[in-house]
Amino acid sequence: MAKTERSAQNPLGSFLKAGLLALPLLTGAPIGALADEEALKIIDGEKLTDFVQQDCGSCHGLTLEGGLGGPILPENLEHMDADVIQEVILGGLPGTAMPPWRGFLTETEAAFIAEGLKTGAFK
């Protein structure tokens, strides 16, 4: 199936791409810093949704309600800024089972995931 057909059939992917457009406003980044066409090209919302559900879900539970790792639902993350969550994603948490994903994810992808976790986009 062509990528455009997949996107048309997956409203979550479109929602996640729209969320990327809001990232600068929500994270305090300069307007246009993440919302330009180049950033949209490097974000694959479906791939990142699968990543959260499969890779993050393997420790945080498939519903993200907790498992080996704690729950990562919006109500559990409301005390954390998206940029802090992004850094945890990229750098991991030393002394815990939370691995660093830097090298596997770009900063833009980690920001996208962090904002999606804060808004409940991956539920």
Side-chain angles (χ1 to χ4, degrees), residues 13-100:
S14 297
F15 173 76
L16 293 174
K17 284 184 182 176
L20 177 63
L21 294 173
L23 273 176
L25 296 174
L26 298 171
T27 63
I31 299 299
L34 297 177
D36 64 21
E37 194 61 34
E38 287 304 308
L40 288 175
K41 287 178 186 175
I42 62 173
I43 293 294
D44 182 340
E46 288 182 41
K47 178 186 105 178
L48 293 176
T49 297
D50 289 344
F51 176 83
V52 170
Q53 291 171 342
Q54 299 301 313
D55 293 276
C56 302
S58 67
C59 286
H60 294 282
L62 295 178
T63 58
L64 308 180
E65 294 177 354
L68 172 65
I72 52 173
L73 297 171
E75 56 268 22
N76 307 107
L77 302 173
E78 64 189 5
H79 66 285
M80 297 175 75
D81 291 333
D83 61 332
V84 172
I85 297 168
Q86 175 186 356
E87 188 50 42
V88 169
I89 292 167
L90 292 172
L93 290 173
T96 73
M98 177 64 190

Side-chain angles (χ1 to χ4, degrees), residues 42-44 47-48 104-114:
I42 62 173
I43 293 294
D44 182 340
K47 178 186 105 178
L48 293 176
F104 296 97
L105 295 171
T106 67
E107 289 197 21
T108 303
E109 290 169 328
F112 185 78
I113 291 170

